[in-house]
Amino acid sequence: MDTRSELQATVNAMVQPGKGLLAADESGPTIAKRFKTIGLESTEENRRAYRNLLLTTPGLGEFVSGVILYEETLGQKADDGTPFPQVAAANGIVPGIKVDLGKVPLALAPGDEITEGLDGLAKRFVDYKRQGARFAKWRAVYNITSSLPSRLAIEANADSLARYAAISQAAGIVPIVEPEVLMDGDHTIERCAEVTEAVLHEVFHALHRHRVVLEHIVLKPSMVLPGSEHQQPSSTAHIAAATVRVLKRTVPSSVPGLVFLSGGQSPEEATVNLSAMNRLGALPWNLSFSYGRALQEPPLQAWRGQPGNVKEAQQALLKRARLNGAAALGKYDATMEKD
Ligand code: 13P
């Protein structure tokens, strides 16, 4: 298959009505933090057992079209000895890989951050592809204050995201482009909208300059929300309208799919907000989910590291996947939580 057909086939498999992605690509320090909440040590075997639980959930492929894995997981095997990427693929779930190496302070720009990992990326893709990865993810983060993010941070992160996306496409790997405007802080929803619009505008400008084919990317945006310490909560209707307004202003209709991150929202909030957006009428792109915490919190709490709880944990994951699948069609309502 030539590269273009390969990218198209992967996009088609990832972007499907009523399906979204499972983000299970927590880095070492992040998964240790999650395990700490259930009093579990982060050993290689515990991490493998947990990812085994997630990926072998019966029926997951009905609502989840792709899974983002961490490098370590890509090389690990399920209980029956099958490599995880093959386990996913056998359930109709496209395996992908987080390729950024995390964020560091942006030099000479106090409070701003930049994501690393471009050096040697083309070479790393050769191995990832051999192991079964068909798409990739790179996350850029933006902190909000009254003066942040700076123009410099907005431009530098856009450029890195675009360079990553170009290197991915050249390798026949579909890039998930993730500019995450963080929820931390006491800012208003209007301030979040202003920052998100500036960030997305710059990201698409950079993608254009770097010759990235928009039909062959997936965008992973954050929702437009008030800061987590802001006193005034916003209604679901307000969040949905503000988010879609910003996306319509900045994201070309040639982008096939948008999959939100959950970014610290509760599982129910992330679901109800997605559903509300999909009820706003015809949108130019498929609008779905790529949740980490909002999909994994219930199964993680049900599991608690006990083999005897695996079934219950898988049911908790399948339930959230099913409800988010409904939300991706605008068909979620809160009474479905009780089923
Ligand atoms: P959350 O849904 O927990 O924000 O994680 C999604 C993700 O992949 C962040 O990079």
Side-chain angles (χ1 to χ4, degrees):
M1 224 191 309
D2 65 275
T3 304
R4 257 173 190 264
S5 317
E6 189 179 20
L7 292 169
Q8 190 61 54
T10 301
V11 163
N12 293 348
M14 290 171 73
V15 181
Q16 296 185 50
K19 294 191 185 186
L21 309 180
L22 166 64
D25 59 334
E26 297 81 6
S27 62
T30 304
I31 195 71
K33 202 158 82 183
R34 305 273 186 271
F35 279 1
K36 208 168 172 196
T37 67
I38 57 166
L40 189 70
E41 198 191 336
S42 178
T43 63
E44 188 180 342
E45 173 51 24
N46 284 342
R47 294 191 294 272
R48 191 206 63 81
Y50 179 57
R51 269 71 184 245
N52 183 80
L53 176 166
L54 299 175
L55 290 168
T56 61
T57 296
L60 193 63
E62 202 184 324
F63 312 107
V64 168
S65 56
V67 62
I68 315 172
L69 303 172
Y70 188 55
E71 191 175 54
E72 176 189 74
T73 318
L74 198 69
Q76 284 177 323
K77 295 185 168 89
D79 293 349
D80 70 358
T82 312
F84 280 134
Q86 283 180 37
V87 173
N91 292 324
I93 298 173
V94 185
I97 169 93
K98 181 230 290 295
V99 298
D100 68 71
L101 300 178
K103 59 194 173 67
V104 293
L106 179 62
L108 306 186
D112 281 320
E113 295 179 289
I114 185 85
T115 304
E116 295 189 316
L118 289 172
D119 287 357
L121 184 55
K123 275 201 203 104
R124 284 162 64 205
F125 271 134
V126 176
D127 275 335
Y128 295 153
K129 230 181 152 179
R130 197 169 29 76
Q131 289 176 284
R134 293 173 61 191
F135 70 88
K137 186 194 98 171
W138 178 289
R139 171 176 178 253
V141 298
Y142 306 85
N143 295 298
I144 299 189
T145 67
S146 56
S147 58
L148 298 180
S150 66
R151 259 329 289 170
L152 175 63
I154 291 175
E155 287 173 14
N157 276 292
D159 217 58
S160 296
L161 276 166
R163 279 255 286 136
Y164 139 80
I167 295 167
S168 303
Q169 288 191 342
I173 296 268
V174 169
I176 295 184
V177 173
E178 180 181 7
E180 175 173 5
V181 177
L182 294 170
M183 247 173 103
D184 309 63
D186 62 0
H187 52 271
T188 62
I189 187 169
E190 287 77 21
R191 174 76 182 133
C192 179
E194 178 182 55
V195 169
T196 307
E197 185 168 336
V199 161
L200 288 174
H201 186 80
E202 199 61 36
V203 166
F204 281 95
H205 184 53
L207 290 170
H208 173 73
R209 282 190 287 110
H210 285 265
R211 306 176 183 175
V212 172
V213 179
L214 296 187
E215 286 81 356
H216 295 157
I217 71 162
V218 170
L219 179 73
K220 180 160 173 168
S222 39
M223 293 186 196
V224 173
L225 301 162
S228 50
E229 289 140 48
H230 187 67
Q231 303 302 326
Q232 211 76 34
S234 290
S235 68
T236 303
H238 191 171
I239 291 166
T243 304
V244 168
R245 186 185 309 120
V246 166
L247 294 174
K248 278 188 173 172
R249 285 178 178 176
T250 52
V251 184
S253 55
S254 50
V255 176
L258 276 55
V259 290
F260 288 105
L261 60 99
S262 59
Q265 299 175 73
S266 73
E268 291 79 10
E269 277 167 347
T271 308
V272 79
N273 288 337
L274 175 62
S275 200
M277 285 183 231
N278 277 305
R279 277 188 199 151
L280 287 177
L283 299 170
W285 350 260
N286 194 66
L287 209 56
S288 190
F289 60 91
S290 172
Y291 295 155
R293 282 161 285 179
L295 277 170
Q296 292 189 52
E297 246 167 48
L300 183 66
Q301 295 304 324
W303 178 50
R304 310 198 78 80
Q306 303 296 320
N309 295 339
V310 165
K311 261 217 166 82
E312 200 186 319
Q314 290 183 328
Q315 279 165 5
L317 173 64
L318 191 65
K319 175 180 170 180
R320 289 269 41 104
R322 182 166 46 78
L323 297 184
N324 283 307
L329 300 170
K331 290 186 173 157
Y332 166 83
D333 91 71
T335 60
M336 293 161 80
E337 294 287 347
K338 296 196 187 75
D339 292 349

